[in-house]
Amino acid sequence: MAEITAAMVKELREKTDAPMMECKRALTEASGDMARAEEILRVKLGSKASKAAGRVTAEGLIGLYISPDAKQGAVLEVNCETDFVAKNDDFVAFVEALAKQVSANSYADVAALSASNLGAGTVESVRAALVGKIGENISIRRFQRYTTANKLASYVHSGRIGVLVEFSGVDEVGKDLAMHIAATKPRALDESGVAEADKEAERSVARLKAAESGKPAEIVEKMVEGSVQKFLKEVALLSQPFVKNDKQTVAQMLKEKNAAIAGFSLFVVGEGIEKKTMDFAAEVAAAAAGNA
């Protein structure tokens, strides 16, 4: 059997960017033949990509891009399995490239984005290659694109919370709005935009609490509606106390600044995704079983 040297492993890693141990295994299997080892890695990395496809991706990164004239922009969420990978340079570059691409093109959905060209291939082929290289499942979850005659502003917090705001007024207002939204996470621009399901859920909880008071039915109903109205003010952006001055609402701040907001998108990494949990001992046992 040919001797597999550290220099050979290093050369193969530089050619393929595959993990060090994968390179060593490929060279061993190929009896030191570099070209054959590259072929083996391509097959293995492709296989790794398909194996990863079923794994839960609840970590990830929010990507944001705004054109130089602030008239066009996009926010998107790309998920992976661990927060470690979310900091990987290649993963970050992929997310940034996607945000820029979504900003420049009108895609109907994630499938259309995945089928579009990126670099020498497609978004999907680049994603699959990245899965093979990193060894974790990666998925494009959602995106929102804006084109406006007004202006766009954005804010990203630790890569996990991203906000894109369409507004009119001085630039400072847009920045303040984006940061406020990231901090308070409103559900809608105003009270009329709050989903009926959310209103009914709040009404149901309020009714149960009010019923315990023992007050007459008509009083209970007023208590319920009072609770719902309080809830709406808390979750609608324009009626929220402004984070930089809680003596005024966001609506009052906008009026004072002669500004307005037309809409916003708020993306939080993994929001609504059920994370798979496994204790360390079980994880080690599963890994050992897989290598058996």
Side-chain angles (χ1 to χ4, degrees):
M1 181 179 290
E3 181 185 359
I4 308 303
T5 66
M8 293 169 65
V9 173
K10 181 174 182 291
E11 181 184 349
L12 183 58
R13 177 169 169 74
E14 288 174 349
K15 284 184 175 182
T16 64
D17 210 19
M20 194 75 74
M21 290 307 296
E22 291 286 353
C23 291
K24 185 175 181 180
R25 291 190 190 100
L27 282 164
T28 301
E29 187 175 336
S31 299
D33 185 322
M34 190 66 66
R36 173 64 181 149
E38 283 188 58
E39 184 179 329
I40 289 169
L41 277 177
R42 284 198 299 271
V43 172
K44 283 189 174 180
L45 293 182
S47 172
K48 188 183 291 183
S50 49
K51 284 180 182 177
R55 300 203 293 262
V56 175
T57 53
E59 298 296 335
L61 196 63
I62 300 299
L64 269 163
Y65 178 81
I66 295 178
S67 62
D69 63 0
K71 301 291 185 184
Q72 201 166 275
V75 56
L76 82 159
E77 178 183 357
V78 182
N79 298 122
C80 54
E81 296 176 51
T82 65
D83 58 358
F84 179 76
V85 166
K87 299 170 187 173
N88 176 279
D89 288 344
D90 292 325
F91 181 79
V92 172
F94 178 61
V95 175
E96 289 175 349
L98 288 184
K100 190 170 184 178
Q101 181 144 322
V102 171
S103 173
N105 300 276
S106 181
Y107 298 113
D109 50 29
V110 170
L113 169 61
S114 297
S116 67
N117 294 330
L118 181 64
T122 64
V123 168
E124 174 55 26
S125 68
V126 173
R127 185 203 67 82
L130 194 56
V131 169
K133 177 180 175 181
I134 293 176
E136 279 197 12
N137 193 15
I138 294 168
S139 60
I140 304 168
R141 185 184 184 195
R142 52 181 172 164
F143 62 81
Q144 183 66 52
R145 177 178 184 256
Y146 283 80
T147 56
T148 178
N150 296 312
K151 288 190 287 189
L152 297 173
S154 66
Y155 176 71
V156 181
H157 183 74
S158 301
R160 297 186 60 83
I161 302 172
V163 180
L164 196 57
V165 177
E166 181 183 355
F167 75 104
S168 62
V170 298
D171 291 348
E172 182 186 2
V173 168
K175 181 181 178 182
D176 284 347
L177 283 169
M179 293 182 73
H180 173 100
I181 291 165
T184 64
K185 299 181 180 61
R187 301 191 190 186
L189 188 61
D190 56 31
E191 295 175 17
S192 67
V194 179
E196 287 300 321
D198 290 342
K199 294 177 187 177
E200 283 307 311
E202 185 64 24
R203 186 172 282 110
S204 177
V205 171
R207 187 169 282 116
L208 288 172
K209 289 182 178 178
E212 294 175 355
S213 68
K215 296 184 183 299
E218 63 273 15
I219 301 298
V220 165
E221 199 55 36
K222 287 181 180 179
M223 292 171 65
V224 169
E225 288 310 309
S227 294
V228 172
Q229 290 307 309
K230 181 174 180 290
F231 162 76
L232 291 174
K233 287 187 183 341
E234 290 172 348
V235 300
L237 173 64
L238 293 176
S239 57
Q240 289 181 331
F242 181 41
V243 290
K244 290 179 72 173
N245 178 9
D246 61 8
K247 298 296 189 292
Q248 61 180 183
T249 64
V250 171
Q252 289 168 337
M253 179 276 290
L254 290 171
K255 184 176 181 181
E256 181 184 276
K257 301 283 188 180
N258 194 28
I261 178 170
F264 70 89
S265 289
L266 166 66
F267 283 8
V268 179
V269 167
E271 187 175 44
I273 298 175
E274 184 177 351
K275 295 186 180 183
K276 182 179 179 181
T277 58
M278 179 182 287
D279 62 48
F280 182 71
E283 193 170 342
V284 171
N291 292 327

